[in-house]
Amino acid sequence: MVSVEDRTMCEATQQMLTKARRDGVKLDLDRGYEMKPCPIGAESACCKHCYMGPCRLNPRDPYKKVGVCGATIDTIMARNFGRNVAAGSASHNDHGRHILELFRGIIDGKVKDFTIEDTLKLERVAKSLGIDVEGKEVLEVAKELCDELEKTFSNVDGEMPFTKLAPEATRELWRKDGVMPRGAMLEIMEMMSRTHIGCDQDYDNLMKQITRTALADGWGGSMVATELSDIMFGTPSPTLADVNMGVLKEDHVNIIVHGHEPAMFEGMLAAVNDSFFIEEAKAKGAKGINLVGMCCSGAEMMSRHGVPHAGNFGSTEAIIVTGAVDAMVVDIQCIKQGLAEVAKCYDTHLITTNPRAKIEGATHVEFDEIDPRKCTDEILSKAIARYGTRSMPIEIPKKIQAGVHGFSHEYIEYMLGGTFRGSYSPLNDNIINGRIRGVAGVVGCTNPKVKQDSVHVALVKELIRNDVLVLQTGCSQIALAKAGLLVPEAAPLAGPGLAEVCETVGMPPVLGLGSCVDNTRILIAASAMVKAGGLGNSIADLPVAGCAPEWMSEKALAIGHYFVASGVYTVFGVGFPTIKETKFHDLMFNGLEKKGYGKWGMASDPIEIARMMIAHIDKKRKQLGIDK
Ligand code: WCC
Ligand code: FE2
């Protein structure tokens, strides 16, 4: 059997994988190693959009054959990719729309347990969309903003509201090419209909709808989720938080919340301090109740409130092996069905809370924003009862790492520009004078096809060593937090220029921005860099690059493509669902850049990825006339 050290570089996860094997419990990390993926599907050379097939083409000789309907390899790959992007964009838009509904519930007075926390941000966002806020009450502004943002989902023509925030040259390109997103529901519907058998069979034309569907994610549902979550729950600013499995406490009732929508987690945070439950827990012999996060809602709670974070996607099954998890509470997205089996083996409550995501074998306790305590109280009772009857031996890895999280785009502006001249100009100045070579977004999942966290960590280290400032979100941010890079003390690992900036400002060389929907903070930061001047007219002019080195989800493909469509060179690791020697691949990896967009890149070795990103940053510096 392959060694645990080859499966993950996270020592806590290694320890739990070893224990799981000893206990005879199979985890995703081993299932992933044993799975032999279909080589035809891996390169997107099969089509199952109708029942004349499924048709399988030969990835080694892609133009030799066509599907029964005559579909070429380019049509097949474009349709497959389009449906991936539609699913990813749908996930984020569904999330964003539910956040909008919660916001409307607060405005209407139906939701009483949540509030508008950041009224300054409410005003700022409303103004950025052209809403006149002068002399208006908070609720009035909120109502107008809510109505405006509803268009993100329901528009059937015009331009999606948040696209206003993009640089004018970038928006002009979208208009000229006919890819400006209208409403997310329309774009996703059109993507699905155009990929039906016998509809759009021109890969270049399909690419336009793919681009529009992806833009409807980044400048649509994801951005609505980020901005409204900040308005309702508070805009993050740097917060010290502990990360890794050592945040579990043997003598406490441990509850993990793992998922994506922050509302339920916020509800849990409010309920967990109720003295009634604390006394209940004590009556069962516990010292207290320990609430921690995982995955993206965990990243949001860590950024906003300093709630400890127990690990990323690759560790969600492994942590149950500790035996110390009294309840794992989940909502939507990236929740492995395998959790149910592992939870059963370790007598942990796996509790689903969202009507859109139930799991066979899990207990369903539905969360309702109008009456959050009904759900949270039941979860607390279940977890406390389980603590009282713990029978398993407990083994908690003693791994814990403090880091600074919560760098919202607003805070980056304030941190670099100071209170009075808050702007991105100082960042641009440091890029122009060469102290900072460029900016990279390193984001995305972990994937059991590769050693968990290893590509993230090696890539980020290489980037900062070369004076590239790294912005992070999602599971990647947690990987680097565990590796100890999200602290100002990591500055010496950076090249001399970046280290100097970090030491002057007192910031880490790696900035954690939050969850996957918070990738939109990177879009807004990039737009602000363009507007601050000196680095060109569009996002495509900036010396920036992005990467998801261990990606696995369709959401990652949607995110990758909205970055490409916004002008960013985006490199994916692990593999990519296209065949190299095809026209569609060439369009994605070369052609889009020639049209003024960013482009895709692919490599699996972290040093190679860093080299590609840095070469692109240097190319952009040269075009801007700021190379040394
Ligand atoms: Ni976003 Fe990837 Fe994590 Fe899920 S939470 S695993 S999509 S990076
Ligand atoms: Fe996520």
Side-chain angles (χ1 to χ4, degrees), residues 221-346:
S222 281
M223 203 171 276
V224 171
T226 297
E227 300 297 75
L228 289 186
S229 295
D230 282 357
I231 289 170
M232 290 187 288
F233 310 124
T235 305
S237 60
T239 309
L240 197 63
D242 287 330
V243 171
N244 214 340
M245 292 191 196
V247 300
L248 293 181
K249 296 177 183 163
E250 184 160 357
D251 53 8
H252 279 60
V253 177
N254 290 305
I255 302 177
I256 296 178
V257 183
H258 152 35
H260 277 80
E261 290 189 345
M264 182 263 292
F265 206 152
E266 292 278 349
M268 283 299 302
L269 187 61
V272 90
N273 292 318
D274 186 322
S275 57
F276 172 79
F277 287 109
I278 295 173
E279 288 314 313
E280 287 276 291
K282 286 188 177 155
K284 296 276 189 239
K287 288 209 174 118
I289 305 170
N290 183 34
L291 180 68
V292 305
M294 288 190 99
C295 219
C296 272
S297 47
E300 291 197 26
M301 297 304 281
M302 176 176 69
S303 307
R304 293 204 177 92
H305 311 295
V307 172
H309 196 290
N312 60 16
F313 180 70
S315 303
T316 54
E317 287 189 13
I319 198 162
I320 295 177
V321 180
T322 57
V325 184
D326 297 299
M328 182 179 270
V329 187
V330 299
D331 55 8
I332 53 160
Q333 299 174 17
C334 304
I335 321 289
K336 297 178 202 116
Q337 186 166 3
L339 290 173
E341 188 57 31
V342 184
K344 201 165 88 192
C345 295
Y346 292 94

Side-chain angles (χ1 to χ4, degrees), residues 260 295-296 313 334 444-445 475 516 552-553 555:
H260 277 80
C295 219
C296 272
F313 180 70
C334 304
C445 331
C475 293
C516 301
M552 61 86 199
S553 72
K555 291 183 292 170

Side-chain angles (χ1 to χ4, degrees), residues 68-390:
V68 176
C69 70
T72 63
I73 186 67
D74 296 303
T75 298
I76 289 173
M77 287 187 302
R79 284 199 301 220
N80 289 340
F81 187 68
R83 289 205 169 185
N84 289 149
V85 169
S89 183
S91 298
H92 289 138
N93 274 290
D94 190 41
H95 171 172
R97 209 179 63 79
H98 280 86
I99 294 284
L100 183 90
E101 276 183 5
L102 175 65
F103 188 54
R104 192 177 292 288
I106 294 172
I107 297 165
D108 291 348
K110 286 193 192 116
V111 171
K112 302 213 176 348
D113 291 65
F114 298 97
T115 174
I116 293 174
E117 185 78 35
D118 190 342
T119 50
L120 280 180
K121 177 147 187 174
L122 169 72
E123 271 198 16
R124 206 166 48 241
V125 174
K127 273 202 229 160
S128 73
L129 295 179
I131 296 168
D132 180 15
V133 302
E134 233 31 70
K136 287 182 186 157
E137 297 289 323
V138 167
L139 280 182
E140 218 178 331
V141 177
K143 167 105 183 35
E144 282 185 45
L145 178 63
C146 191
D147 290 344
E148 181 64 17
L149 289 181
E150 177 93 54
K151 295 180 191 160
T152 304
F153 311 102
S154 58
N155 253 1
V156 290
D157 52 26
E159 300 184 351
M160 203 169 256
F162 272 136
T163 58
K164 277 197 186 75
L165 305 192
E168 196 46 43
T170 305
R171 300 170 75 202
E172 261 316 304
L173 170 69
W174 297 339
R175 288 190 194 112
K176 181 174 70 64
D177 255 9
V179 301
M180 176 66 89
R182 298 158 293 178
M185 295 192 209
L186 178 65
E187 303 312 353
I188 293 161
M189 180 178 74
E190 189 172 319
M191 188 76 259
M192 294 307 284
S193 98
R194 281 167 65 167
T195 49
H196 189 276
I197 153 82
C199 195
D200 199 351
Q201 290 155 106
D202 177 324
Y203 69 94
D204 203 22
N205 201 45
L206 276 163
M207 178 51 85
K208 289 194 173 157
Q209 188 55 24
I210 295 171
T211 299
R212 196 147 61 167
T213 307
L215 289 172
D217 176 348
W219 300 89
S222 281
M223 203 171 276
V224 171
T226 297
E227 300 297 75
L228 289 186
S229 295
D230 282 357
I231 289 170
M232 290 187 288
F233 310 124
T235 305
S237 60
T239 309
L240 197 63
D242 287 330
V243 171
N244 214 340
M245 292 191 196
V247 300
L248 293 181
K249 296 177 183 163
E250 184 160 357
D251 53 8
H252 279 60
V253 177
N254 290 305
I255 302 177
I256 296 178
V257 183
H258 152 35
H260 277 80
E261 290 189 345
M264 182 263 292
F265 206 152
E266 292 278 349
M268 283 299 302
L269 187 61
V272 90
N273 292 318
D274 186 322
S275 57
F276 172 79
F277 287 109
I278 295 173
E279 288 314 313
E280 287 276 291
K282 286 188 177 155
K284 296 276 189 239
K287 288 209 174 118
I289 305 170
N290 183 34
L291 180 68
V292 305
M294 288 190 99
C295 219
C296 272
S297 47
E300 291 197 26
M301 297 304 281
M302 176 176 69
S303 307
R304 293 204 177 92
H305 311 295
V307 172
H309 196 290
N312 60 16
F313 180 70
S315 303
T316 54
E317 287 189 13
I319 198 162
I320 295 177
V321 180
T322 57
V325 184
D326 297 299
M328 182 179 270
V329 187
V330 299
D331 55 8
I332 53 160
Q333 299 174 17
C334 304
I335 321 289
K336 297 178 202 116
Q337 186 166 3
L339 290 173
E341 188 57 31
V342 184
K344 201 165 88 192
C345 295
Y346 292 94
D347 194 26
T348 288
H349 289 292
L350 177 66
I351 301 173
T352 54
T353 56
N354 194 299
R356 285 124 73 217
K358 295 189 180 181
I359 297 176
E360 193 184 342
T363 309
H364 189 72
V365 182
E366 202 149 304
F367 180 77
D368 177 3
E369 286 106 354
I370 294 176
D371 185 10
R373 290 299 296 262
K374 191 160 171 265
C375 168
T376 54
D377 290 2
E378 191 174 338
I379 291 169
L380 281 162
S381 301
K382 281 188 166 24
I384 292 167
R386 192 272 188 184
Y387 182 93
T389 57
R390 274 186 193 176

Side-chain angles (χ1 to χ4, degrees), residues 430-445:
N430 277 313
I431 291 173
I432 292 164
N433 69 28
R435 276 197 197 94
I436 296 177
R437 193 168 183 166
V439 180
V442 181
V443 307
C445 331

